[in-house]
Amino acid sequence: MNNTFSSYRSLFPVLSEYVHLASCSQGAIAQPVSRAIEDYHNSLLSSGTNWEQAILKVEATREKFAELINAEPDEIAILTSVSDVLSAVATCLPYHHTKNRIVLTDMDFPTVGHVWYAQEGYGANISLIRSLDGILPLEQYEKEVTERTLLTCISHVSYYNGYTQNLREIADVVHKKGSLLFVDAYQSAGHTPINVKEMNIDILSTGTRKYMLGIPGVAFLYIKKKLAEQLKPRHTGWFGQESKTKFDIFNSTYAPGARRFETGTPSFISVYAAYESLNLLLDVGINHIHSYLKELAAFTREFGLQSGLQISSPLATKGTSGITSFYMDNAAEVEKRLREKNILVSARKDVIRIAPHFYNTKDEVEYAITELSKFAK
């Protein structure tokens, strides 16, 4: 393990008892994040109310996430889940009969399809790009995205097999056709560098409970400021208003930028956790994390194949991520059996996902795969 990262292991109490390789589902909780949760709780116990302090924490957390993806704070909205984000965006788009096509892929997380297909009754025309052997060639976008496409929705990293897409290349293709690009970064934010300006992303969403090392209750929505101010969300609330109209029931004026997509009081306790998790990730450095996980994922794939496992993730370096998936009969049952051995992995459909973070070691991965391979025989 990189000496830089080994010094952080002591921050994660779970590592003293478990081999935690399930960051694609729930990242390990660090002591600073735990203390932040306690701080919020204790402030209510001692003072009864902490509204002003909590609002300041929301703004500080917004700034931290903006720094993580190279955005402006006004381009960030804080909601409660990526499903909420998707619904907020889907219900505010102008579906015109000449430009109403929404392009999805079969590698998106199911909630993506649930939200977009629900818009068919309101003018959306849904088109699905099907993957080829677990990947999505650029040619698929060139073929399926047309001048009638209003928005193309994709995953940065696939939740199922860890396949990573080149966002800048896809942005170039869809923008030439006049389509917006919506990126689901739930499986990439926290371990893969994201620069929304360089990648030319229009809309991006992610949450904090996976690689971002937080807890459920916080999701971030990025929208280019110029675009955001052209949109009129129907999914809104008093937090989505300018200060002067927050308490005016008869008149409303949207808040600037992406803030207009905010609704009601956020989950403050989750925001406190998110602030500290972002602080930790920025301190460690996403580029360093990404480099280390590329090395660890290469070892995972190589040792898994040597151990007789059948891999679902891409084998070529291009398109790989920190997530490695292995086909497994009764994957959900195998996940439970490994947990009995204090090994935390994550099952999805017919695969077991090995998803380390910067706090993991090669020895842990080797041990987990050795145990996993016993169920494949």
Side-chain angles (χ1 to χ4, degrees), residues 196-215:
V196 291
K197 306 301 183 185
E198 289 183 1
M199 293 172 168
N200 202 10
I201 297 167
D202 300 299
I203 307 170
L204 178 143
S205 181
T206 189
T208 54
R209 73 181 296 256
K210 303 182 191 295
Y211 284 96
M212 288 178 65
L213 307 178
I215 61 176

Side-chain angles (χ1 to χ4, degrees), residues 353-374:
R353 301 178 295 173
I354 303 290
H357 215 318
F358 69 89
Y359 44 67
N360 290 117
T361 67
K362 282 186 178 180
D363 287 344
E364 288 177 320
V365 171
E366 184 173 338
Y367 170 61
I369 290 177
T370 299
E371 293 299 317
L372 177 62
S373 66
K374 295 177 182 178

